[in-house]
């Protein structure tokens, strides 16, 4: 089986939510999906989206599925509210423009909040989508066997004809990236834009990323950025590897400007604590950050760096390699 | 599906679903080979549906400088989706390309254009202004009544009583041309928009005679040092922000100078945590280090700046020809020539016969004190601008300014060293700095830092924002002279903002912080009104296009009352109901971004001129019309009304033209207004206008509308650069004409100017760059500033449902958690923000990124999003920066490069928890 993978460079992510809305207008602005964000960007540290997803269970303990919780619509996802445009703007009223239902949460609720104390506060952006895992908990949890992984590209899909909406998959996914469509009565999730990919057009979230943070390639493509960054340079890491699902979306971990000491002098210590990044990306994060810093230093001194050139991505189009190299080809 | 039904059907999502263990026997994770899955066509068909049956191109024309080419897909005449065209060609192999330009705002316009705040039909006010009672009327009825009332105003109150203002909601050359042309033909008042919104870079104007200078932003990639000063590029320059991180990966040091930690600070090598409004002290300390450590490119400053110019020690004035000769010139200046040991005139100044900066045999001294013989024979003691600027800078050692700015000397030292040591360095000045009185000085000092280190031309330098010189547009947008009014000053006067200034700043405080008290500022304003070339006078009839003036103006409710109370007619042409439209007499529904032909190419962040071509067969939204068509209808109706009343033309003696060798007043020809507007039927619609522009603008040649329609854009040619050629294969840098060809700058000295002896500058001791204390009063504990939001372009898209769902659905303020705790305020609590100017209510969002002595809010929420419709500008006092009222000195006289700013960040507030609003 071939696996299509994605690397998201968290240093290039500016939290603009263009990917979120590219995905929304491509797939989730209709038909009961309005509340879903197959792709979203959350600010870390934070409870994220859906709220407290990291504490909602799911995933694997070795070969045993872990129990998981279903997120709630208003409290954990957030209502896709309409607004009182008519009354607030075209009638005699003293009411301001407001959501018709008060919002309790949303996909970007904690925007730019993060943690720490001024002036040493910190935050970064974490774009999230279905990881199209190699060992998908959703797939294993489905009693209908409605979830499958495609041979040609490793994309994990919920068969919309087989699915009966039992939502075991929603609970089983430790990333909480499967959603239940109440209108269709079925579970749905990111489809890695297979209808685009099949036509040679990269995923909306990746192709439309204005920060040029996302690389897409097959993992077995030795020239592809995913293999290069994840396997050769080892600067791209899966999110929460301990969940055991073996994600195929990888992240280049975030650098951050130094903290200040009591006198206001920059310390040289990054403001995002290493411990926190280890919690998210596992123990490989130290080496990844060291490699990034080393290669940046090399460039600062006027040297060359193939890694930096890869992350710079001189041509937007070169960030995506969707053609499938023939097996055995040199 | 109905919303209620949706919520009901998902209610059972709340049940916890737990596994005791694997439910079913575990399936192999490695997928078995599966047969083709016919159901997969479900999503394939959906994708095909979003691609639709027709495609057009568009950019999003608002006060955003991004200018991004998008594909717009439509099916059955309805827009289905937009996607960045992502087709700009690379300019060279080692510069990242500009794709895919376009952000979270552009991408929701397909929703915005049909959102329920869209204006669909002409509406006429049926109650009091702002009451919310509207009557739907026909286009004919609306246009005829408006035209009659415009003619009433012109006839009864004079030509100057009409204001035709196209605000920053439309800044493109195509759609903007209609209102500009109509206003120009009628001699109507028009504000300078950049000044009205507080986006003038007066510090750059002082230095270069140009407000907008800089680079294409791909130049970031080549720079070795980048100072981002008061600019949150990751939020406000979304399409180009990638160049910053790519620059870091390319070995660049990026310093982000801003009081709050933000998305740009996150990607910087260093965050420089400057206390709000103290930037000019930091800038002076930067200069201090450069002077102290001799990090100075002496050849550059000798030739390219006025630093070698002689200054009279006795008067503080620049030494002029008139000081040495009877009837000498005012605009010839001197250096001390080390070659001849005498004072010699510097070539290239405005009054010098030699129009070149080449020094020839001159060896201008940078430091020293001498005596020259005055015209009456007495010796005049002189020194150099360099010596004066140096002495001023040495007053601000970083060890001392740290107490003011909070910036550690170590960081100042690193910035100075990196700036001086980099072959290419760029100092970006954002729109935040000139929202403080001291902004002029900060920017001027930053320009001096670039000059001292020789950063201009290909070596980088100051960047306010580069704009292209398109040329050739005059006959379209300004066929006759219009009444140009200062943006900031007119708004201040029209809104009676002196009152809120008096309320918020005590006399003593103003005197101490600004150097002038209320009376003196009042006198200065009066003097400015009398002597400046800017037009003044409150309008009586207002045709307003795409401008949210009742949202953006400071002292919001106060401004609104003062401004609209005298209006006899207020027509708002808009695609949506904004906070200004709510108060209009007539609402005329306009087309929006995808529905009208348009073209935009003046924005210099990249070199591409975008075009909007609606998808074929696009159905109109409601009864909307293009701005061009609306202006044409008005022109026709005004002509009919004038004919009916027997007024052929109104003479306008404020403007003279030559007729038969005699001076004659410009005639405002009303009966032929429609013929003049269409240039005899050559310009009948928005498409004609775009075609005219593509044909007539030299910087667009040789491209044709057909070329643009194939790709959504064309590439500008080398003529597009103001101060340098725009080369096809490398980023654009300003001032190559000056640095390499030695052409004089557009300043009095013909050089980068760092000494101004205007009496006001002398009075305020600002002859060279210096520091100015924040004007924020101590009477309220929290500084209040409102940086740009990522979820709107000012108020555009601020009420967009898609984007509000990615926020919290309603306005919130950012509070430091400690500041909130001290006031008993928790996350999400409703709060009341107040001072002696006004108040507003919002929710609290606790942000460690914000300093404890501040209340920050991303700007431009619509007043109608707040309780009682009182928006955030209600707590912002009206304030003028006295220096920006200087006029009648060299390059400092009212023009697009010298106008002032509405000051937004100099107010102080307090905040308290308040009661929840009940619906």
């Amino acid at each position: 089986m071939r696996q299509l993978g994605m690397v998201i460079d968290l240093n290039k992510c500016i939290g603009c939510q263009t990917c979120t809305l590219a995905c929304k207008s491509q797939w989730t602005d209709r038909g009961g999906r309005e509340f879903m964000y197959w792709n979203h960007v959350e600010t870390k540290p934070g409870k994220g989206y859906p709220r407290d997803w990291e504490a909602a269970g799911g995933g694997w303990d070795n070969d045993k599925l872990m129990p998981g919780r279903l997120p709630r619509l208003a409290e954990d996802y957030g209502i896709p509210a309409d607004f009182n445009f008519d009354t607030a703007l075209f009638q005699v009223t003293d009411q301001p423009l407001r959501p018709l239902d008060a919002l309790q949460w949303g996909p970007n609720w904690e925007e730019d909040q993060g943690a720490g104390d001024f002036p040493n506060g910190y935050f970064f952006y974490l774009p999230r989508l279905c990881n199209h895992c190699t060992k998908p908990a959703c797939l294993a949890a489905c009693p209908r066997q409605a979830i499958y992984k495609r041979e040609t590209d490793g994309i994990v899909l919920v068969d919309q004809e087989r699915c009966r909406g039992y939502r075991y998959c929603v609970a089983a996914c430790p990333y909480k990236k499967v959603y239940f469509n109440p209108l269709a009565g079925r579970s749905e999730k990111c489809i890695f834009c297979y209808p685009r990919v099949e036509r040679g057009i990269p995923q909306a979230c990746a192709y439309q990323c204005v920060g040029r943070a996302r690389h897409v390639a097959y993992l077995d493509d030795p020239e592809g950025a995913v293999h290069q960054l994840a396997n050769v340079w080892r600067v791209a890491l899966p999110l929460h590897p301990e969940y055991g699902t073996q994600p195929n979306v990888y992240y280049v971990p975030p650098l951050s400007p130094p903290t200040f000491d009591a006198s206001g002098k920059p310390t040289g210590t990054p403001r995002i604590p290493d411990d926190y990044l280890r919690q998210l990306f596992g123990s490989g994060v130290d080496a990844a950050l060291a490699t990034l810093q080393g290669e940046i230093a090399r460039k600062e001194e006027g040297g060359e760096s193939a890694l930096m050139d890869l992350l710079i991505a001189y041509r937007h189009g070169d960030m995506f390699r969707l053609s499938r190299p023939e097996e055995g080809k040199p | 599906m109905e919303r209620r039904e949706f919520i009901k059907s998902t209610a059972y999502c709340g049940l916890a679903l737990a596994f005791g263990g694997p439910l079913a026997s575990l399936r192999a994770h490695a997928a078995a080979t599966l047969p083709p899955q016919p159901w997969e066509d479900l999503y394939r068909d959906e994708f095909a549906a979003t691609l639709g049956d027709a495609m057009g191109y568009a950019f999003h024309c608002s006060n955003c400088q991004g200018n991004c080419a998008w594909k717009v897909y439509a099916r059955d005449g309805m827009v289905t989706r937009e996607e960045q065209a992502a087709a700009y060609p690379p300019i060279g192999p080692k510069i990242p390309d500009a794709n895919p330009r376009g952000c979270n705002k552009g991408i929701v316009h397909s929703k915005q254009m049909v959102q329920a705040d869209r204006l669909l039909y002409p509406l006429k006010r049926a109650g009091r202004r702002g009451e919310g009672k509207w009557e739907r009327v026909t286009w004919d009825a609306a246009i005829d009544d408006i035209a009659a009332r415009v003619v009433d105003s012109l006839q009864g109150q004079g030509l100057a009583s009409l204001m035709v203002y196209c605000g920053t909601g439309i800044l493109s050359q195509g759609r903007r041309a209609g209102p500009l042309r109509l206003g120009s033909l009628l001699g109507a008042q028009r504000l300078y928009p950049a000044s009205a919104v507080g986006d003038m870079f007066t510090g750059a104007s002082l230095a270069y005679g140009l407000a907008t200078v800089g680079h294409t932003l791909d130049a970031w990639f080549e720079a070795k040092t980048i100072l981002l000063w008061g600019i949150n590029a990751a939020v406000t320059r979304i399409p180009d922000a990638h160049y910053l991180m790519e620059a870091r990966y390319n070995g660049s040091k990026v310093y982000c100078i801003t009081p709050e930690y933000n998305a740009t600070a996150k990607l910087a090598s260093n965050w420089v945590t400057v206390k709000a409004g103290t930037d000019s002290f930091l800038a002076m300390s930067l200069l201090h280090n450069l002077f102290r450590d001799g990090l100075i490119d002496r050849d550059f400053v000798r030739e390219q700046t006025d630093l070698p110019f002689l200054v009279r020690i006795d008067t503080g004035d620049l030494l002029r020809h008139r000081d040495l000769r009877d009837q000498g010139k005012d605009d010839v200046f001197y250096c001390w020539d080390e070659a001849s040991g005498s004072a010699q005139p510097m070539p290239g100044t405005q009054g010098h016969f030699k129009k070149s900066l080449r020094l020839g045999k001159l060896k201008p001294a940078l430091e020293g004190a001498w005596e020259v013989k005055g015209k009456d024979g007495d010796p005049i003691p002189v020194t150099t601008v360099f010596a004066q600027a140096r002495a001023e800078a040495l007053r601000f050692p970083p060890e001392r300014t740290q107490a003011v700015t909070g910036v550690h000397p170590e960081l100042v030292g690193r910035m100075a060293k990196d700036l001086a040591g980099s072959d290419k360095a760029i100092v970006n000045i954002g729109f935040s700095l000139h929202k403080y009185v001291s902004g002029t000085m900060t920017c001027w000092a930053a320009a001096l830092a670039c000059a001292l280190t020789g950063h201009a031309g290909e070596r980088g330098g100051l960047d306010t924002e580069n704009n292209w010189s398109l040329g050739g547009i005059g006959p379209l947008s300004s066929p006759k002279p219009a009444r140009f009014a200062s943006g900031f000053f007119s708004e201040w006067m029209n809104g009676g903002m002196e009152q809120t200034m008096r309320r918020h700043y005590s006399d003593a405080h103003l005197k101490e912080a600004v150097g002038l008290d209320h009376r003196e500022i009042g006198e200065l304003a009066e003097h400015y009104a009398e002597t400046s070339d800017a037009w003044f006078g409150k309008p009586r009839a207002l045709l307003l296009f795409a401008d949210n003036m009742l949202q953006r103006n400071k002292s919001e409710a106060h401004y609104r009352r003062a401004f609209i109370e005298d209006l006899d007619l207020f027509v708002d042409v808009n695609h949506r109901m904004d906070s200004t439209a709510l108060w209009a007499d007539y609402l005329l529904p306009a087309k929006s971004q995808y529905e009208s032909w348009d073209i935009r190419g003046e924005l210099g962040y990249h070199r591409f001129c975008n075009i909007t071509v609606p998808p074929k067969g696009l159905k109109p939204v409601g009864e909307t019309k293009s701005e061009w068509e609306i202006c044409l209808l008005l022109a026709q109706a005004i002509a009919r009304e004038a004919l009916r009343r027997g007024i052929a033309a109104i003479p306008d003696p404020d403007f003279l033209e030559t007729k038969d060798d005699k001076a004659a007043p410009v005639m405002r020809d009303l009966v032929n207004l429609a013929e003049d507007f269409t240039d005899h039927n050559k310009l009948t619609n928005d498409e004609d206008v775009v075609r005219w522009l593509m044909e007539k603008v030299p910087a667009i040649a040789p491209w044709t509308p057909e070329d643009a329609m194939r790709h959504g854009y064309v590439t500008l040619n080398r003529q597009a650069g103001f101060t340098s050629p725009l080369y096809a294969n490398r980023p654009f840098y300003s001032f190559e004409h000056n640095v390499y060809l030695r052409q004089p700058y557009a300043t009095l000295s013909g050089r980068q100017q760092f000494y101004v002896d205007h009496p006001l500058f002398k009075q305020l001791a600002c002859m060279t760059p210096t520091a100015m204390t924040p004007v924020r009063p101590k009477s309220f504990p929290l500084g209040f500033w409102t940086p740009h939001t990522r979820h709107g372009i000012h108020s555009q898209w601020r009420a967009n449902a898609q984007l509000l769902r990615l926020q919290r659905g309603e306005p919130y303020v950012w509070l430091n958690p400690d500041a909130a705790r001290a006031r008993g305020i928790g996350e999400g609590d409703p709060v009341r923000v107040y001072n002696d100017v006004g108040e507003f209510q919002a929710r609290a969002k606790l942000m460690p990124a914000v300093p404890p002595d501040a209340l920050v809010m991303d700007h431009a929420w619509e007043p109608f999003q707040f309780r009682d419709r009182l928006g955030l500008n209600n707590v912002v006092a009206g304030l003028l920066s006295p220096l920006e009222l200087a006029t009648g000195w060299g390059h400092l006289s009212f023009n697009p490069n010298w106008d002032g700013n509405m000051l937004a960040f100099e107010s102080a507030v307090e905040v308290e928890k308040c009661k929840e609003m009940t619906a």
Side-chain angles (χ1 to χ4, degrees), chain B residues 449-475:
Chain B
C450 292
L452 291 177
T453 50
H455 289 297
E458 274 188 293
R459 292 202 56 211
L462 197 79
D463 188 315
T464 49
E465 56 161 15
N466 175 47
N467 274 210
W468 300 126
S469 158
L470 291 181
I473 295 177

Side-chain angles (χ1 to χ4, degrees), chain B residues 194-195 198-212 429-431 433-445 447 462 464 488 528 747 753 756 761 772 881-886 891-892 895-903:
Chain B
S195 168
D199 282 356
M200 292 301 295
F201 294 97
T202 45
S205 301
L206 290 176
Y208 313 116
L210 294 172
T212 48
I429 302 295
F431 288 110
L433 285 188
H434 287 78
K435 305 281 192 286
Y436 299 99
V437 171
S438 61
T440 309
M441 284 294 136
T442 311
C443 182
W444 201 22
L462 197 79
T464 49
F488 81 119
Y528 182 74
T747 58
Q753 182 118 21
V756 171
F761 280 64
M772 292 174 122
S881 166
L883 288 181
E884 294 178 345
L885 293 169
H891 53 291
L892 309 185
N895 74 77
N897 286 302
W898 184 249
D899 200 358
N901 287 290
M902 192 68 78
L903 300 168

Side-chain angles (χ1 to χ4, degrees), chain A residues 30 32 39 46 50 58 91 96 163 177 197 246 271 297 301 324:
Chain A
R30 54 190 176 264
N39 176 95
Q91 293 173 24
C163 176
K177 273 294 172 185
V197 168
Q246 301 172 22
R271 58 183 53 225
E301 286 150 22
R324 297 160 193 170

Side-chain angles (χ1 to χ4, degrees), chain A residues 9-16 18 21-22 24-27 29-30 32-33 35 37 60 63 67-68 70-73 80-83 85 88-93 95-101 103 107-109 111-113 116 118-119 123 125 134-135 139 145 147-150 157-161 167-168 180 182-183 188 191 194-196 198-199 204 207-212 257-258 260 263-266 271 299-300 308 311-312 314-316, chain B residues 1 3-4 6 9-10 12-15 17 19 23 26-27 29 31 34 37 39-40 42-44 46-47 50-51 81 83-84 86 90 92-97 99-100 102-104 107 111 115-117 131-133 221 234 238-239 242 245-246 249-251 253 259 261 263 265-266 269-271 273 402 408 411 414 577 582 790-791 799 801-810 816 827 845-851 864-866 869 917 919:
Chain A
D9 182 348
L10 298 186
N11 292 301
K12 290 182 98 175
C13 178
I14 53 174
C16 70
T18 308
L21 293 159
K24 180 144 279 295
S25 69
Q26 187 69 80
W27 303 115
D29 60 1
R30 54 190 176 264
R33 301 182 196 138
F35 82 97
Y37 290 86
W60 298 95
D63 276 345
L70 288 176
R72 300 157 298 177
L73 175 67
D82 287 329
F83 289 76
F85 289 109
L89 298 183
F90 293 91
Q91 293 173 24
V92 181
T93 179
Q95 290 301 304
L97 186 78
R98 283 289 178 271
L100 292 174
D101 290 281
L103 296 186
N108 191 30
W109 194 259
E111 182 176 58
D112 294 4
Q113 283 184 297
F118 188 90
F123 64 80
Y125 304 111
T134 298
K135 190 180 169 186
L139 184 152
Q145 305 197 349
I147 301 182
Y148 61 99
K149 196 166 170 65
R150 303 210 304 184
L157 294 176
V158 183
D159 183 332
Q160 295 295 296
E161 286 173 4
R167 284 161 288 141
Y168 288 101
F180 175 67
L183 192 64
E188 289 191 274
I191 55 173
Y194 71 81
R196 291 172 63 107
E198 288 168 355
R199 294 195 194 193
Y207 191 67
Q208 296 187 248
C209 171
V210 61
R212 301 156 60 101
F260 298 105
S263 73
K265 193 172 163 183
R271 58 183 53 225
K299 288 290 274 188
E300 283 174 355
M308 292 296 104
L311 291 173
I312 287 167
Y314 290 89
R315 300 289 159 262
H316 175 242
Chain B
M1 173 171 63
R3 189 177 38 79
R4 292 278 166 197
F6 172 82
S9 58
T10 47
Y12 59 108
C13 268
L15 299 172
L17 189 63
F19 295 109
L23 272 180
L26 214 68
R27 287 168 52 200
H29 336 301
L34 294 164
Q37 299 277 338
W39 80 267
E40 285 179 9
L42 173 80
Y43 292 120
R44 290 188 190 107
E46 281 195 31
F47 176 57
T50 61
L51 290 179
R81 190 170 185 267
E83 180 158 330
Q84 298 103 318
K94 291 311 267 181
I95 299 285
D97 65 32
N99 298 314
C103 73
N104 56 331
I107 206 167
K111 308 281 192 307
Q115 192 170 278
D117 55 350
E131 193 185 357
K133 284 187 184 158
F221 184 72
I238 287 174
H242 65 89
M245 197 58 215
E246 286 157 5
Y249 284 152
N250 200 33
K253 294 265 177 57
Y261 190 70
K266 159 196 165 292
S269 327
N270 276 289
W271 175 37
T273 316
Q402 186 185 3
H408 196 276
L411 264 179
R414 279 191 212 170
M577 185 69 106
L582 285 170
R790 66 158 61 87
H791 297 292
Q802 301 269 322
L803 292 171
L804 285 171
R805 290 174 195 162
L806 293 179
Q807 302 166 72
R808 292 183 174 187
E810 60 183 291
N816 180 284
E827 173 79 3
K845 184 171 172 183
L846 306 192
M847 306 273 283
V850 167
F864 62 64
Q865 293 176 289
F866 294 82
R869 304 197 171 195
M917 201 185 146

